Amino acid sequence: AQKITQTQPGMFVQEKEAVTLDCTYDTSDQSYGLFWYKQPSSGEMIFLIYQGSYDEQNATEGRYSLNFQKARKSANLVISASQLGDSAMYFCAMREGRDSSYKLIFGSGTRLLVRP
Amino acid sequence: DGGITQSPKYLFRKEGQNVTLSCEQNLNHDAMYWYRQDPGQGLRLIYYSQIVNDFQKGDIAEGYSVSREKKESFPLTVTSAQKNPTAFYLCASSIDWGLPRYEQYFGPGTRLTVT
């Protein structure tokens, strides 16, 4: 079974509007971390935001916020006031606490296109 | 400026040749990782290293080899045994203190094409 599922292969949003990118995860660990990365067409992976499994508040970083619903195992990324530069691939990833490699497990990504 | 460098950005090789991809970091991170990305997909872990002179296989290690002789460097060799080596390769590093909190920092990637 996939550990990270991103069900939206592609999304459009109008400039200046908000958009939500979906992510669901599967783990039996109590301690884990959830990450969102942005990958522009140039290829580098840019860290956006982190949510810990024990964090009581939803994480926020500027225009990015993470809607964390632990019981539903979802960690959706919300981008407010979209900008043309937000057009990119977005990946949700998880790091499990008991996995000694501390590797990131990635979803298949969502391509976001911001329309002017 | 601290960061991760990967060279070259584009690499072309003939089938049957081994090729080594460079990854250097000056972030003083203990852990380093190599990922492979195929078109339209997420990243998959090839190898990782948590300390110098030690490394472990990831999910798709067959046909690859690594070394970790220095903390700053983690080169990846794509051998002729790798059946489908054409892909985008990303190197990453992180602090690893036994908690899932620490994000991985990524290099700019190397796009390898084997014909």
Side-chain angles (χ1 to χ4, degrees), chain A residues 31-33 35 37 39 42-45 47 50 91 95-97 100-104 106-108, chain B residues 9 33 35 37 40-43 45 48 50 59 88 90 94 96 98-104 106:
Chain A
S31 175
Y32 53 90
F35 302 80
Y37 283 85
Q39 187 178 41
S42 54
E44 77 271 26
M45 298 287 282
F47 166 71
Y50 165 82
F91 291 95
R95 207 177 193 191
E96 293 173 301
S100 62
S101 75
Y102 306 113
K103 70 184 180 187
L104 286 173
F106 285 86
S108 55
Chain B
K9 189 165 180 65
Y33 305 80
Y35 291 91
Q37 186 179 27
Q41 298 186 29
L43 281 63
L45 182 67
Y48 66 97
Q50 291 173 296
D59 300 319
F88 187 52
L90 284 154
S94 72
D96 272 320
L99 295 172
R101 161 63 184 95
Y102 299 103
E103 68 268 28
Q104 293 183 8
F106 284 82

